[in-house]
Structures are given as C-alpha cells and as structure tokens.
Amino acid sequence: MMAEPNFPEKNLTNALISALALLPDIPTLEQVEEKVRKLAALFDYDGDLRNITSEAMISVVTRMGAGVSLVDVAAKHDDQWVRKRGDIYWSYSNAYEEFLRQDGWPPQMVQSLSDVTSRILSHLQDPMSEGTTWNRRGLVIGHVQSGKTANYTGLISRAADAGYKFIIVIAGIHNNLRKQTQERIDEAFIGRKSDPEDRRNIGVGMVPGYPHPATLTNINEDFNKKTAEKSGWKINDFSKPIILVIKKNVTTLTALHKWLKELNASGDGRISDVPMLMIDDEADNASINTNKEDLDPTRTNAMIRRILSLFAKSCYVGYTATPFANIFINPDAYDADVRDELFPRDFIYCLDAPTTYFGAEKVFLNEDTSPSIVKPIDDCEDLIPYAHKRDYIVPELPLSLYRALNEFIVARAIRNLRGQQKKHCSMMINVSRFVAVQKAVRDFISLREKKIREAVKANYMMPESISCRNAYMKDMREAYDSRFSGSGFSWAQVKAALNDVFEHLHIYVINSKSDETLDYPKYEKEGVGLTAIAIGGLSLSRGLTIEGLTVSYMYRNTRMYDTLMQMGRWFGYRPNFEDLCRVYLSKDSINWYAHIANAAEELTQQVKRMRRDGLSPRQFGLYVMAHPDSLLITARNKMRAGEKVTFRQNFSGRMLESYILSTDREVNDSNFALIERTWRDGFGGNKIGPTTKGFIFRDVPVERLEDFLLKFQTHSDFTDRKADIIAYLRTLADQHPVGDVLLISPRGGDDKPFILNDQVRAVERLSGAAWQLNKDRVASRGDEKLGLGVTDEEQRSAEAEAEKLAASGPKLVAPSDTHYREIRKKPLLMIHSLQPGDGTRVRGSIAAFGVSFPPGHYDTEIEVVANLVWLERMQGTPDDPDDEEDYDA
C-alpha cells in the first residue's frame, strides 16, 4: 500500500473511484452519492462528502485518447519489439501505475497512460537489440500543464524495465523547476527521497522489494562530480538503472560530459554497452536568445549532442508544449551538425489531452466559455508599463489587479463552501521580469490583503446593512455579484465564509533570487489547503506547477510562441472549480493566445493528415518551418543587423483574413462598389446559389479571385500579406484552377440586392484609419461549412464527414473550419461587411475578406521578403531576454 498516512479523505476518494470503475455503465449522481455514503461508513469517515462525490463524478467521465504518431516509414525499425519480447518484467511501470491509482488517478486514465507510453517506447530502440551502435531521435508534443511529466515518467519506468540503464532528465533552466522534477521522479520512479538528510522510502518505494534505481542528483543539488561521488553509486554498477535530473545550462552539461568521459577514460572514448535514454523536458526552452553564456542555446544544445555522442546506444526524446518546437523553427539555436543530431527524424508523437483538460480551446476559442474566463487588462500601462526598467518605481497597482485579488478571495470562499478547504488554491501575478519590481508589487498586494483581512474580520458576521458600508466589503460584494452569483451559493453564505480564507493565505515572490518556495506538500502533510498568491516572472512561467491555480493576472509583452505557451500556467485540471477560474491579460495577449491555439490545432491536424499520407517527421518539420507564424520567431533572430531576409512560406490548410481594416470612407466605398460589380457579373458569369448565411459562387476560376483581390483596397499594414495570399493562389493554380466564393450576409429585415448585410465585430484596436479585429478573426467560427453541398442532402453528408474527421480524438468535439477546409478541397474566398461593436463609431460599413487554402500541399511554398519594420508591425517590440533577471546563476 502506497498511500501516505493521515489522508482519510484521499483514501476514501480513491476507494470510491476504484469501485465506480468496476461498474458496467457510467453511474448517476444519485448512485455515486449512495456509494460514497456506504464507503464513508466503512472507513469511519464523518467529513464533508461533497468534494469526494464531485471528484469521483469527474473521474468516471475522464478519458484520454491514444494520440497520433508520425514515423519515418523508410527507417528499418521494428515497432513491435515491445510486444515480441517476452522477457520483460514490468516492475517499475507496474509500481508507477499502482502509485497513480493510489494518488487518485481514475483507472481508465492509468490504462490510457500505460497504452500511450507503451506506444512511445515502441518507437525507441530495443535496448537489448543486436548491433554495437544505434540511436533514435523523437519528439513528443503535449499541452501545457496537461500531464507531460506523468507521461515521461511512465516512459522512463517502461524504458528501465526494458533495459535502458542510464537515464538523463533535462528539467528546465531554474533551480526550483529542477527541484520540483527531482521530487516527482523521487516519488514516482526512484522510490525514496533524494534528500541526503532524509533517505526514507516514498511513493513507489512503499512496494515491498521495490528495486530502487540509483540517482546521481538530489533535491538540493544539480549534477556535479562531488554530488555523484556522494550518491553511493559504484562506478560502472549498472545492475539497476541510474537516473539524473539536471538543469539545462552549459555548466551542468559540461560537468556531466567531463565526468562521463572520465568514466570511460581507458576505452575508445565511447560508452559501448550502456543503453541511454535522454528526456529533454524543456525542448522548447532553448529559444531564449540571450547573451548570458550559461544559457546560450547554441552551446547548451551542442553539449547535449556531445553527451549523446559518448554513448554508442542512445535515444533522445524531446517534450514540448507546442508544435512550434525550437528544433523546427529556431535554426540559430543549433549548429548544423547539432540540429541534424537532435532533429526528431524517427518519430513525432502528438498526445491527446484528457477530456477534462482546461486548455486553450476552452479559455480562448470557445465562444461560450471564453468570455466568462478571460478579462482584458486596459489600465496597467500607465502604472506598470510593458517597457519598464529594473529601477522603475511602481507608483500604485492598477484597479484591475485589485479586482482580480478580490475575485480570488471570493473564489476561495466558494471553493471552501464546496468542500475544498483541503485543496490548494492559488493566484498568479506576472507583471515584470525584474526582481525589485516584483517585490514592490508584493508590498502593495500585502498591504491591500491586510486591509481586506481586517475588514472581513470586523464585518463577516455583521448584517448586510452594516457590512456594506465598508469599502472593502463593498468590493467583495461587487466581485460576487459581477462574477460569481451563479456559483450555487448566496452572498450571505459567501460572506460568512470569507474569514476562513485568510487562515492559510500566504504571499510569495518566486524568482531565482528568492528563497521562498511554494511548498504545497508541506501543507498537504498537515491536511491543509494552501491559499497562495505567487508573484514572479520567468520562474513562474516556465514549467513550475502552481497548484489549484484559480486567478491569473499577466501583463507581459512577448509573442514568442514557446514563452507564451509556457506562461499559460492557467491551463490544466480544475475539478469542480473550472467555473471560478479567471485569466486577466492584455488585449494583445488574448488575441495572440487565440491565434496560437488555432495554429497549434491546425498543426496537430496536419500530423494526422501526414500520417495518413505516409509522410515523415522531416517533412512535418519542413512544413512547420514554412508556417507563416514560424516567421515571427525565426525572423527576429535573423534580423539583428536590420537587413531584409527572404523566407519560405506555406499557407496550405490555412485561413488568411484581412484582420487589419481601413476605416477610410473612400477606400470602403471603392471596395463595396467592387463587390457589387463582381456580384452582378457573377464573378465572370458563374451561377449564384443560396446558403444559410448569404450566397455562394461555386467553381470560380482562380484568375477571377486574383483579379478581385488585386482591386480590393486594404490598409497599408495588410498590403504585404494580401500580396502573399495572391502569390499563393497563383502557386496553387495548376492543382486548383477553381475556387468557391462565399458572400457572408446574415438574413436581415431589409435585404437589398447586391448589398451585404453587416456583421458586428469586436474592436481590438482602433488607431487612425486602422481597425484591428479582436482575436484577428474576420469570419465567425464554422462559416467555412457554408455551401459545402449543392443540395441539402449533399450539405448534410459533407457536415457528417467533417464530424467524422473531428471525432478521431478522445472526446466528441464539434468540427472546426480546419475540417471543413479538408472537405472543400479547393480555395475559398469569403467576403464580409462589418460594423464595430462595443459602441465604437465609424462612418458606414467596412469591407473585409478572407481566403482559405486546402490542406495537403506540404511542399508548395512561396518566397516572402521581410525586414524588421515588417516584423515590428506583426508582433510589436518584445521584452529583451538579456534584461531578464529571473535566471539561476
């Protein structure tokens, strides 16, 4: 039995989940409640059963798909070796899976993880295979905070069972993240604490006779020769696996390389009989183009390659949270030979997120859930501007941050009322990369928290007529009324619960210069849920798990894909408090996150298509490199001297829209006259047909689409992109000589011939004659399904086909425009008439367009010339990484 003592609630929850897993059908709430009451009596448990019930209900419906892999079909590799080997005893992986069940994982999720890690293992080399030298290189693409650590720990356990003897885990660039990873590996694989002062068995090590692997690092110390010597491991004793958890910096990697070389000093310089597995948990972290020598991406990657080259038998698996992994998009981070060595030439594996994952789709794309979760910050620039310096004096915090703090306190009270007092609850504040500014923010937050605490203590039991006179209580009431009135509890109940929020509330500054740590396990041992407000910069935003994250406030200026995705700590699992989660971001960041989420989803779909078409990981890598968004990352690295650079671009399977519009009246009058003329002419004599939201011209010659776009006037900021769209249409003309035209015109009361009805769109930015659309989207989601079929029956059949494409994952999801694009199989021009919402006034309607290209043209590219001016327009001026103070020395 692996459960820790003093966890009656956890033990009861695990017993309930295990019992429910045995039922043939998904149980009803009433059945679960009856079952938990019976088990509570058996366990002699008299605590609150609501949270146990809700966790069990979530667990029975949680599923995780198998994911999809792209492999090099030309390589000589037997991916059935795991199944064929009958001599493997799965002692490490069996113990790990039992540990997960004891930790509250639903049995079906443990099984899914087991299946997926077996598949990934099959893409590695059989460590017992014949041959004196071999190497395999792969990449696993997951989601931020979706269980990548659990996945690679499962892979490590299976690899150790199969015969891998030397395992290296590279865990980011910060001490706190390396320590967090070491603690997880201690518990889930090593089976004992790696603290030199406390070597007791934990986690998997509670199984009698567990074969503890050796570790050459511990929770306090990264790898160095001294730590290795202190570990007690005898040189060349490979009777059990050896594991190291190290930071990704030049010093550590150099020390490890030197030590390994000395081990084999008498040989030919290579370690020949020790199968080695390297897990790079931060495969997308070396893109930080900093001049800090210890973090230089070119040098860190070169050292990784040198370590791999010491082993005659090696496998390297990178883990990344975005398909825009560095190995594809950041050539400057690799010398040519290093890039070739680390490129995932053998396999790419895309993990499915579990069905209960709180991810980018829910937060940024879903039009039903996003508005209640995401809130724009519009009052921070004057107080803590994007571009402040390290000596900046913070005059005051923005009201939006104080509002977020109020919401956090109210949300914690509601979580307590839901029986989650013993669960952690956190708030993240990330507004500066400078340590001194982070401390100043903490001082303001501490002062406000103290005043709220005092106000609550004096008023939480008072009648409303008295408590409402207090300004801070008024703020609490406002937070409840505006954001949480539908939470299932009245204001009177929430107010009465406010005082308990402060009992275990602590404020932390988390950075590499601070000795403060978010020590969640300490509070767990005491049976207490920590209420934490964590203020920081890079340390908070790279890999560190913030337990029970409920409210996030981030005002940072970056458009680096990997940095932004890593900063999204609000993704993950939010059992029974998803509805309370709030994310505060600048409007620019909200747009960019939505853009990234769309692009990442498109690339994952592309992996599935390429798998179907029998293409290789190398072809996927080339496709990602030519993806329009990769340019935003590679360009900055190449343009330091300000010169123009030519890039290859691929728009296959993409939709490009005129999201920056001109509000100039003459421009729009000209565009609407063009629309009317072309419409009357039938785009060159083509027959018009109706859709449920306007009209369609089918099979229009591409030359007509080009002609229309050439005459359509755009804002100067969009002129270059329009030229790229026309160039790509021409490039595809031989394969796709015709395309469809959709005139998007929602039915209105006064439909007029040849005039489009307006659609309302939110304003992201209105500056001069430029209107930038919210989330850079012109069309509504799902518009691309319009006119897929000529008859109603054909339309239904096309939509059913799209549903089939969308249903390949673990959960039923509605088809997206990506799927409709695949079914249309030809270019599509969409034409719109827009009006800004939010009470913004412009004179008359604004014309807009979008063009989507069919997928499958992996090698069809155009040349694009870009310079720094273009780049600044596309992505603004980002933080300078060399200014970042939050690095470990």
Side-chain angles (χ1 to χ4, degrees), residues 538-784:
L538 202 65
S539 284
L540 272 190
S541 55
R542 290 225 71 103
L544 196 67
T545 298
I546 302 170
E547 302 278 356
L549 183 58
T550 307
V551 175
S552 305
Y553 189 99
M554 187 178 90
Y555 192 75
R556 294 291 297 273
N557 184 25
T558 179
R559 284 196 172 189
M560 292 298 283
Y561 260 83
D562 64 321
T563 310
L564 264 186
M565 290 312 286
Q566 287 294 343
M567 280 181 171
R569 310 320 299 166
W570 43 82
F571 302 133
Y573 303 97
R574 306 288 181 262
N576 205 26
F577 67 99
E578 198 176 277
D579 61 313
L580 306 178
C581 292
R582 301 292 178 261
V583 179
Y584 280 79
L585 293 165
S586 70
K587 281 186 177 178
D588 203 40
S589 291
I590 293 168
N591 278 346
W592 199 234
Y593 269 110
H595 183 85
I596 290 172
N598 265 321
E601 175 56 30
E602 281 174 2
L603 282 176
T604 306
Q605 293 294 333
Q606 196 73 347
V607 169
K608 291 177 182 174
R609 277 188 218 111
M610 287 184 153
R611 166 89 188 203
R612 218 169 45 217
D613 296 346
L615 297 172
S616 71
R618 191 163 288 282
Q619 284 163 302
F620 177 75
L622 290 169
Y623 177 80
V624 176
M625 281 180 230
H627 190 284
D629 295 335
S630 297
L631 178 53
L632 299 183
I633 298 141
T634 55
R636 184 161 296 280
N637 303 335
K638 288 174 178 284
M639 292 180 182
R640 293 190 189 97
E643 75 278 16
K644 286 191 175 185
V645 183
T646 301
F647 293 89
R648 308 291 302 171
Q649 291 271 270
N650 186 322
F651 299 147
S652 173
R654 301 268 299 156
M655 158 73 90
L656 288 98
E657 300 179 292
S658 60
Y659 65 92
I660 300 173
L661 300 171
S662 173
T663 58
D664 183 278
R665 198 61 259 146
E666 280 184 28
V667 166
N668 283 287
D669 288 345
S670 165
N671 284 338
F672 283 117
L674 170 68
I675 292 167
E676 182 178 346
R677 250 189 348 265
T678 321
W679 189 345
R680 281 181 189 278
D681 176 48
F683 274 85
N686 289 269
K687 194 177 167 193
I688 195 168
T691 71
T692 55
K693 200 176 172 182
F695 307 94
I696 184 168
F697 290 100
R698 291 186 174 85
D699 298 329
V700 176
V702 163
E703 295 80 19
R704 293 278 178 181
L705 305 188
E706 277 181 37
D707 189 48
F708 175 87
L709 290 169
L710 283 166
K711 290 173 182 168
F712 190 100
Q713 295 181 41
T714 58
H715 191 276
S716 57
D717 281 358
F718 197 76
T719 306
D720 291 348
R721 185 53 96 201
K722 188 184 90 165
D724 298 341
I725 293 168
I726 293 167
Y728 203 73
L729 265 176
R730 283 180 187 147
T731 308
L732 285 183
D734 287 345
Q735 294 120 300
H736 297 285
V738 296
D740 289 347
V741 179
L742 280 174
L743 298 164
I744 306 293
S745 184
R747 297 282 179 262
D750 55 346
D751 294 341
K752 295 174 184 167
F754 310 113
I755 293 176
L756 296 173
N757 291 330
D758 286 340
Q759 304 162 78
V760 176
R761 290 290 178 269
V763 176
E764 157 61 15
R765 191 178 289 113
L766 196 57
S767 173
W771 168 19
Q772 184 177 345
L773 294 173
N774 187 46
K775 296 186 180 175
D776 297 349
R777 282 298 305 259
V778 174
S780 299
R781 295 184 87 194
D783 276 358
E784 288 189 62

Side-chain angles (χ1 to χ4, degrees), residues 11 36 70 77 172 187 296 332 357 390 401 446 458 472 652 748 866 889:
N11 294 343
V36 74
L70 193 61
H77 177 72
E187 198 175 27
D296 182 320
D332 280 13
Y357 176 63
R390 62 170 49 81
L401 180 45
S446 294
Y472 298 107
S652 173

Side-chain angles (χ1 to χ4, degrees), residues 358-480:
F358 182 72
E361 199 279 333
K362 221 172 255 183
V363 178
F364 294 107
L365 300 181
N366 188 310
E367 285 161 13
D368 296 326
T369 55
S370 182
S372 64
I373 299 167
V374 182
K375 294 295 158 194
I377 299 169
D378 53 15
D379 60 352
C380 196
E381 189 62 23
D382 290 339
L383 296 168
I384 311 175
Y386 273 149
H388 62 270
K389 301 292 183 192
R390 62 170 49 81
D391 57 356
Y392 179 70
I393 307 296
V394 180
E396 177 55 285
L397 298 187
L399 283 175
S400 58
L401 180 45
Y402 287 135
R403 260 198 310 276
L405 176 63
N406 297 339
E407 286 170 15
F408 175 63
I409 292 165
V410 172
R412 179 42 148 173
I414 294 168
R415 289 191 59 190
N416 287 349
L417 288 168
R418 289 179 180 178
Q420 297 187 357
Q421 300 95 323
K422 294 180 182 177
K423 301 288 180 186
H424 305 305
C425 183
S426 303
M427 177 180 184
M428 178 189 84
I429 301 171
N430 183 348
V431 292
S432 177
R433 60 194 184 275
F434 299 120
V435 171
V437 178
Q438 291 165 15
K439 286 178 179 170
V441 171
R442 194 257 286 273
D443 292 342
F444 279 109
I445 289 289
S446 294
L447 186 61
R448 177 59 65 110
E449 184 269 339
K450 183 170 179 272
K451 288 178 177 174
I452 296 171
R453 183 191 294 248
E454 289 167 353
V456 166
K457 190 175 181 183
N459 288 281
Y460 79 105
M461 295 297 286
M462 291 289 185
E464 184 63 14
S465 58
I466 294 173
S467 63
C468 72
R469 294 176 198 163
N470 180 282
Y472 298 107
M473 292 303 291
K474 210 170 164 185
D475 287 345
M476 294 292 115
R477 176 69 190 262
E478 161 60 24
Y480 169 82

Side-chain angles (χ1 to χ4, degrees), residues 507-557:
I507 301 169
Y508 301 85
V509 173
I510 304 294
N511 56 54
S512 55
K513 311 290 187 289
S514 156
D515 56 2
E516 298 177 36
T517 56
L518 286 164
D519 196 351
Y520 295 109
K522 176 184 157 219
Y523 288 87
E524 273 166 36
K525 281 177 197 144
E526 295 165 6
V528 165
L530 172 63
T531 304
I533 298 172
I535 300 157
L538 202 65
S539 284
L540 272 190
S541 55
R542 290 225 71 103
L544 196 67
T545 298
I546 302 170
E547 302 278 356
L549 183 58
T550 307
V551 175
S552 305
Y553 189 99
M554 187 178 90
Y555 192 75
R556 294 291 297 273
N557 184 25

Side-chain angles (χ1 to χ4, degrees), residues 285-329:
N285 194 14
S287 68
I288 299 173
N289 263 321
T290 172
N291 292 321
K292 296 180 193 297
E293 281 187 23
D294 213 31
L295 299 173
D296 182 320
T298 314
R299 291 181 65 197
T300 52
N301 286 320
M303 285 312 304
I304 287 169
R305 176 179 177 267
R306 288 175 71 188
I307 290 166
L308 286 166
S309 68
L310 287 176
F311 290 83
K313 301 173 179 180
S314 71
C315 283
Y316 169 88
V317 183
Y319 274 74
T320 172
T322 165
F324 291 91
N326 280 320
I327 194 74
F328 302 142
I329 61 172

